[in-house]
Amino acid sequence: MRSIISILTCALLLCACGSRTTGSGPQGDTLVLGHSDLLTLAERGAETSVSVSDPWHQGQTLQHLTLGPTDGRGVLRPLRRVVVFTTAHCQLLEYLGLADRIVGVCDVQYMHIPDIQRRVKAGRIANCGDAMNPDVEKIVSLRPDAIILSPFEGASYGRLEKLGVPLIFAADYMETSALGRAEWMRYYGRLFGQARRADSLFHVVDSSYNALRAYAARLPKGRSVLTERITGAVWYVPGGKSSLGTIFADARSPYPFAADGHSGSLPLSFEQVLDKAGQADVWAFLYNGQRMMTRADLLREFHGYKALKAFRRGDIYECNASATPYFEEVSFRPDYLLREMIILAHPQAKLGQLRYYKKLPQSPS
């Protein structure tokens, strides 16, 4: 998982931002968040109190911090210089017109954002190495205001925790709905002192998503879609309560694993996938490569694919994540992904061309 990291320069803030507590949460006038289950924002005068629920331990708080216009004891001022570890959060800052505040990135080879690549090559953004093993000395030399990273259950952040700068835990990827994750942009905007701009963008995303959902609701039941490919002996599919699972429901696509109650990925054997989704109408998967995968490529990877109805009928759609901005966009523009799934599930839909996926041309296997 790729993550944003922003580094705050106050040691007292490290205690405030990095702690896991069972506190009472933000004090003040709570902002209404319509979709997020993990985030609570409350405004008190010029300050905003933020509470992030621990997604792994019910009833506990993963993080609590206070944002304000000026420095103060336990108060974080708007961020001016950040190190960003994930492509999705870099793209969000681009959307918000805040890309000039990025001074360092990790995993730059996975970031398909032209402006970021240009600035890295020009030396205006530092390459801080691998997100799982970042160049701490380079990060320190950048004098960033904050590190924002995606937390994991039981994770240790090594030397990053000892820098004397706080870590901001970006747990948006743990939300169970696509709009719930996107709604975190309202929090991220406030980190940079751009609440109005972030709220405005989320209103656009929310309105677009709901208009697409209403459009799909008027369509007949669509085609079923199987996602991903086998990895070794395991085929990971999105759980029924995952954000992608909810997108299939909103697209009126009968997802084969809709009855499953998991919000993450399901590790299944091919036999389990074949039993549940072998008759899926469409097979759509992500890959990284220099060219489209052919049917022959797929069969060389795993001959069992031939048992899939979608393979036999040629309803195979590929998204080359190394050539399209899939991972850059879909986290905070779930309306783009919902539109994509409506088109896959409803060929008659009048929504234009696919944005990410391409249909594999028919050819002998």
Side-chain angles (χ1 to χ4, degrees):
M1 172 70 61
R2 310 167 200 166
S3 346
I4 282 187
I5 296 186
S6 311
I7 308 176
L8 307 175
T9 50
C10 173
L12 288 171
L13 241 112
L14 178 58
C15 299
C17 298
S19 60
R20 297 168 174 80
T21 71
T22 56
S24 57
Q27 302 297 313
D29 295 327
T30 301
L31 296 176
V32 176
L33 298 178
H35 306 282
S36 173
D37 293 326
L38 299 176
L39 195 60
T40 305
L41 304 177
E43 292 182 337
R44 184 176 58 249
E47 295 182 352
T48 300
S49 186
V50 181
S51 181
V52 178
S53 298
D54 189 328
W56 300 285
H57 302 95
Q58 188 173 4
Q60 295 190 29
T61 299
L62 181 68
Q63 183 164 70
H64 177 82
L65 51 88
T66 301
L67 315 178
T70 58
D71 283 323
R73 184 177 179 84
V75 177
L76 175 61
R77 65 180 175 83
L79 305 178
R80 299 292 174 185
R81 298 172 59 83
V82 294
V83 174
V84 181
F85 275 32
T86 71
T87 189
H89 294 89
C90 280
Q91 184 64 65
L92 176 61
L93 294 183
E94 289 260 338
Y95 288 152
L96 294 174
L98 299 170
D100 61 336
R101 309 214 186 166
I102 301 171
V103 297
V105 295
C106 283
D107 291 335
V108 66
Q109 69 272 27
Y110 300 121
M111 293 187 174
H112 305 299
I113 305 173
D115 180 61
I116 298 295
Q117 293 291 342
R118 282 193 296 267
R119 291 170 63 200
V120 170
K121 289 178 182 177
R124 298 199 303 273
I125 293 179
N127 180 354
C128 297
D130 187 332
M132 301 305 293
N133 186 28
D135 187 334
V136 176
E137 286 74 19
K138 183 169 287 186
I139 291 174
V140 171
S141 73
L142 296 172
R143 297 178 290 104
D145 295 324
I147 299 178
I148 307 171
L149 67 131
S150 296
F152 298 90
E153 184 175 17
S156 173
Y157 305 103
R159 295 174 62 194
L160 290 177
E161 293 184 300
K162 301 175 183 178
L163 294 180
V165 289
L167 306 179
I168 297 176
F169 296 138
D172 53 84
Y173 76 98
M174 290 299 295
E175 292 283 353
T176 58
S177 74
L179 283 174
R181 182 176 192 181
E183 197 164 28
W184 278 61
M185 71 175 69
R186 301 183 65 189
Y187 166 36
Y188 296 134
R190 284 162 172 78
L191 283 172
F192 291 86
Q194 296 293 336
R196 185 174 298 178
R197 194 180 299 179
D199 289 350
S200 177
L201 176 58
F202 181 70
H203 176 72
V204 170
V205 173
D206 190 33
S207 298
S208 174
Y209 188 99
N210 282 304
L212 285 165
R213 177 163 52 190
Y215 173 80
R218 297 192 295 271
L219 298 173
K221 186 173 72 171
R223 301 191 295 179
S224 55
V225 180
L226 169 65
T227 66
E228 311 314 330
R229 309 187 337 260
I230 199 164
T231 303
V234 179
W235 192 315
Y236 292 94
V237 301
K241 300 302 181 185
S242 67
S243 59
L244 190 53
T246 61
I247 284 177
F248 282 127
D250 291 339
R252 275 189 57 75
S253 172
Y255 183 48
F257 302 95
D260 172 78
H262 292 86
S263 59
S265 294
L266 302 176
L268 303 177
S269 67
F270 177 71
E271 290 73 21
Q272 289 173 303
V273 171
L274 188 62
D275 178 59
K276 278 288 203 180
Q279 294 301 306
D281 300 303
V282 174
W283 182 22
F285 59 81
L286 303 169
Y287 75 104
N288 289 281
Q290 299 300 312
R291 59 173 177 81
M292 286 192 75
M293 296 186 72
T294 66
R295 290 165 64 89
D297 291 333
L298 290 166
L299 290 178
R300 276 193 293 271
E301 177 180 272
F302 183 66
H303 196 74
Y305 292 148
K306 206 165 189 175
L308 301 174
K309 171 185 170 182
F311 185 94
R312 297 193 305 271
R313 294 192 175 186
D315 286 313
I316 306 170
Y317 292 79
E318 304 179 355
C319 172
N320 186 349
S322 63
T324 60
Y326 180 91
F327 288 113
E328 284 71 24
E329 295 182 345
V330 300
S331 296
F332 297 104
R333 291 305 308 253
D335 51 324
Y336 290 172
L337 188 54
L338 175 59
R339 175 186 172 277
E340 197 86 344
M341 294 308 165
I342 293 173
I343 295 172
L344 287 177
H346 305 273
Q348 77 278 21
K350 300 183 184 304
L351 294 176
Q353 299 298 311
L354 290 165
R355 185 181 185 90
Y356 305 116
Y357 288 89
K358 293 182 179 179
K359 187 172 184 179
L360 181 66
Q362 286 278 22
S363 63
S365 59

